[in-house]
Amino acid sequence: MLKEYRIGEGAMDTHFGKENNCKLYMLKSNDGRNQEIWVKWDEWIRPNNIISEGSEMPHAVRELLRKWSDEINKIRNEFQNKANIGYAYIDFVYDSVVYKLEPAAIAATKDMFHHLAEMIQRDLKHVGCPYTQYKWELD
């Protein structure tokens, strides 16, 4: 039997290990600890979408949004489109809530977002989001 743990104030169930009768999704940490976190599938497929600065999100992430938008503005005129990205976004867990960060949140094209994705993940890690996943696809 799988042991169940609660993170934060009763928000999201996380599971360490495998469970046969519950559909779970596994994330790997990118904080150097290489930990696994198991999230209930329905919580993973219905994240809180961050599509603009007005979206619901933690204050620490809102501050990063401004930083990333500034980075996009710095490269906007000189950016050379190297690939035709079909979609791009970052899923992450912050304080027991699953979020989905989309390029529109920082006024970026999908290609620009792709260019900054590693930096975005590093920044998220530094504000307490060790569980992130970048998803993208060529068009």
Side-chain angles (χ1 to χ4, degrees):
M1 183 70 181
L2 176 70
K3 194 169 185 180
E4 183 173 305
Y5 299 90
R6 292 246 182 227
I7 296 177
E9 290 294 316
M12 181 181 66
D13 291 334
T14 57
H15 306 270
F16 295 88
K18 295 182 180 177
E19 184 173 283
N20 294 332
N21 55 357
C22 182
K23 194 169 184 182
L24 302 173
Y25 189 78
M26 194 257 320
L27 296 168
K28 286 259 191 202
S29 69
N30 64 354
D31 62 358
R33 297 180 189 163
N34 201 30
Q35 295 177 328
E36 297 177 350
I37 185 170
W38 292 83
V39 189
K40 285 187 176 178
W41 179 255
D42 58 338
E43 294 175 8
W44 180 251
I45 64 171
R46 291 183 192 86
N48 290 332
N49 288 330
I50 301 175
I51 57 171
S52 71
E53 196 170 318
S55 298
E56 185 178 327
M57 73 189 89
H59 178 73
V61 176
R62 188 174 313 281
E63 293 298 315
L64 288 175
L65 224 57
R66 293 180 186 127
K67 174 190 174 191
W68 302 327
S69 293
D70 290 344
E71 289 296 321
I72 290 298
N73 288 333
K74 288 178 189 175
I75 67 169
R76 188 173 307 282
N77 293 331
E78 296 86 30
F79 187 77
Q80 297 290 320
N81 184 11
K82 295 179 182 172
N84 194 14
I85 305 295
Y87 68 82
Y89 59 89
I90 295 174
D91 289 318
F92 64 94
V93 177
Y94 183 90
D95 196 24
S96 75
V97 178
V98 180
Y99 293 92
K100 177 180 180 181
L101 177 66
E102 299 193 30
I106 58 173
T109 65
K110 295 170 199 158
D111 296 329
M112 290 175 184
F113 189 84
H114 181 73
H115 180 72
L116 295 182
E118 285 184 31
M119 179 191 71
I120 292 170
Q121 287 185 286
R122 273 193 314 271
D123 289 347
L124 287 168
K125 178 183 74 172
H126 289 300
V127 296
C129 303
Y131 306 103
T132 66
Q133 184 176 47
Y134 174 54
K135 295 183 181 179
W136 66 281
E137 182 176 279
L138 291 172
D139 200 16

